[in-house]
Amino acid sequence: MNPVVVVHGGGASSISKDRKERVRQGIIRAAIAGYNILKEGGSAVDAVEGAVTVLEDDPEFNAGCGSVLNVNGEVEMDASIMNGKDLSSGAVSAVQCIANPIRLARLVMEKTPHCFLTDQGAAKFAAAMGIPTVPGEQLVTERNLKHLEKEKHEKCAQKPDQQKNLGTVGAVALDCKGNMAYATSTGGIVNKMAGRVGDTPCVGSGGYADNDIGAISTTGHGESILKVNLARLTLFHVEQGKTLEEAADLSLGYMKSKVKGLGGVILVNKAGDWAVKWTSASMPWAAAKDGKVHAGIDLGEASITDLP
């Protein structure tokens, strides 16, 4: 089985020219990191965790360092991960002062009998597992401080602009043993109420992985994704015999028509096929397979380069 990894950097309304190249390089770096793990014999779970960790550490993306701020000016993060081999999954929500929530989500999956820990329970578990805390301000960027101020002036928290609030990061992978996995991580939406949880940590919405069907990670307006169970809905269409592209178009189209929600998905199946689709203005993505990296940000543009 030829390994594959696909990553996304979140749906976006538009990415400024000065950021575009940094975002492109960041997403490619994450795909290469995940692919290298697979090439060295690592599992799909290892690969998606590794790729998402790279994006959490990159301040250009809305996850980990670079997460957007809630109404109180704080970072509250959500993440989930799933192993397609046995459907084991782990998720955390409303976590603070942790650099890589995706690592904590994996520990929930592997070290507890549960699937999901939140807030203080997640914090206590992180401490018990020896995950170091970082000062909250270490995760805050100047760009997101300005972003929050702008949002507070323009809107009240009860009416989030679906066009703007689409940032998440995620990865899907197929390893050489035929196992699949997904991982998704986010800081949520700007100016959200404290304690707000979106789709990202919810298995079936923020992502899903089943070796018999495929693996998917989603991005977009979290409340809309939750309402339609976007991840599982897309894989349902795959089960019904649709191609990955057709399945993605159907589910994203349904979300747009039913609840006016915009977003995007990345998918891989057991044959090693992959797809990226979105209805937002843009979605940074990269895919690594057979020694090549495919990458893009806007509709209709993609580059292919040989892996270093």
Side-chain angles (χ1 to χ4, degrees), residues 141-158:
T141 63
E142 192 63 36
R143 186 164 61 87
N144 282 323
L145 284 168
K146 288 176 182 167
H147 203 166
L148 178 64
E149 281 311 306
K150 186 165 180 274
E151 194 71 11
K152 283 190 169 183
H153 280 121
E154 289 177 6
K155 291 249 188 306
C156 75
Q158 301 307 313

Side-chain angles (χ1 to χ4, degrees), residues 62-64 66-79 92-96 101 118 144 147-149 151-152 155-161 165 167-168 185-201 221-223:
N62 177 18
S67 290
V68 297
L69 307 177
N70 68 11
V71 67
N72 299 328
E74 298 167 334
V75 166
E76 285 186 317
M77 301 166 290
D78 306 331
V92 293
S93 67
V95 297
Q96 297 182 296
T118 191
N144 282 323
H147 203 166
L148 178 64
E149 281 311 306
E151 194 71 11
K152 283 190 169 183
K155 291 249 188 306
C156 75
Q158 301 307 313
K159 293 187 178 177
D161 184 340
N165 294 312
T168 312
S185 180
T186 190
I189 60 176
V190 186
N191 201 29
K192 64 185 179 180
M193 292 171 67
R196 176 264 185 189
V197 176
D199 66 291
T200 296
H221 182 244
E223 283 72 11

Side-chain angles (χ1 to χ4, degrees), residues 202-206 224-234 251:
C202 299
V203 169
S205 292
S224 299
I225 292 172
L226 277 167
K227 288 169 187 171
V228 302
N229 277 143
L230 184 63
R232 197 61 187 83
L233 177 63
T234 308
S251 61

